[in-house]
């Protein structure tokens, strides 16, 4: 089993966490402690869920929780963009990384569900 820090999805989530810190620093004070903190918290939770999924025997619940957190982070980024707290460039950068995380999470979930029933007959 690979260390979670070596996984491509971990590296992307870590990159997203660093981006969210930068976004939060640039936010106006009135939304920094609400929208900014929530976005950062969701990103940190995703990093933690990747480590948990990598160590768990049943990875699916952790990966599903990861995708839920990712959806929440997307919504927060969209709200920040729509309220002009997040620039077009920063929003595009965040969404690009979030899409890559979503693709990798989906692939990881599909691969773990295939391993859950190795004795199941092929259709």
């Amino acid at each position: 089993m690979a260390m979670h820090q070596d996984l491509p999805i971990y590296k992307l989530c870590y990159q997203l966490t660093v981006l969210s810190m930068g976004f939060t620093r640039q936010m106006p004070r009135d939304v920094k402690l609400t929208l900014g903190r929530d976005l950062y918290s969701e990103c940190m939770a995703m990093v933690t869920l990747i480590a948990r999924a990598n160590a768990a025997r049943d990875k699916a619940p952790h990966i599903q929780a990861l995708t839920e957190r990712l959806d929440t982070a997307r919504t927060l980024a969209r709200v920040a963009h729509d309220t002009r707290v997040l620039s077009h460039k920063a929003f595009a950068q965040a969404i690009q990384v979030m899409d890559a995380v979503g693709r990798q999470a989906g692939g990881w979930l599909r691969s773990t569900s295939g391993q859950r029933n190795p004795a199941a007959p092929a259709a």
Side-chain angles (χ1 to χ4, degrees):
M1 173 173 50
M3 295 295 293
H4 68 272
Q5 296 96 335
D6 297 331
L7 298 173
I9 190 171
Y10 176 87
K11 292 176 183 178
L12 285 169
C13 274
Y14 184 83
Q15 178 185 0
L16 186 61
T17 304
V18 171
L19 283 173
S20 72
M21 283 186 81
F23 301 157
T24 302
R25 275 193 212 114
Q26 297 172 1
M27 289 181 176
R29 189 175 288 181
D30 60 332
V31 294
K32 186 180 286 196
L33 293 178
T34 54
L35 190 59
R37 185 187 312 166
D38 289 349
L39 180 59
Y40 174 74
S41 295
E42 292 298 325
C43 293
M44 281 302 299
M46 288 189 288
V47 170
T48 303
L49 285 166
I50 290 168
R52 287 182 184 163
N54 192 49
R57 184 172 291 222
D58 185 13
K59 298 174 183 338
H62 301 289
I63 300 170
Q64 289 168 343
L66 169 69
T67 58
E68 290 172 11
R69 296 281 186 157
L70 182 61
D71 288 340
T72 303
R74 275 192 184 114
T75 302
L76 291 168
R78 186 170 295 121
V79 168
H81 178 256
D82 291 347
T83 57
R84 300 177 194 265
V85 173
L86 193 60
S87 70
H88 293 297
K89 181 180 177 182
F91 178 68
Q93 192 177 17
I95 291 299
Q96 183 179 12
V97 176
M98 288 179 190
D99 286 347
V101 169
R103 283 191 301 275
Q104 289 199 10
W108 198 9
L109 187 60
R110 282 189 298 279
S111 73
T112 61
S113 64
Q115 293 173 355
R116 212 181 285 167
N117 296 323

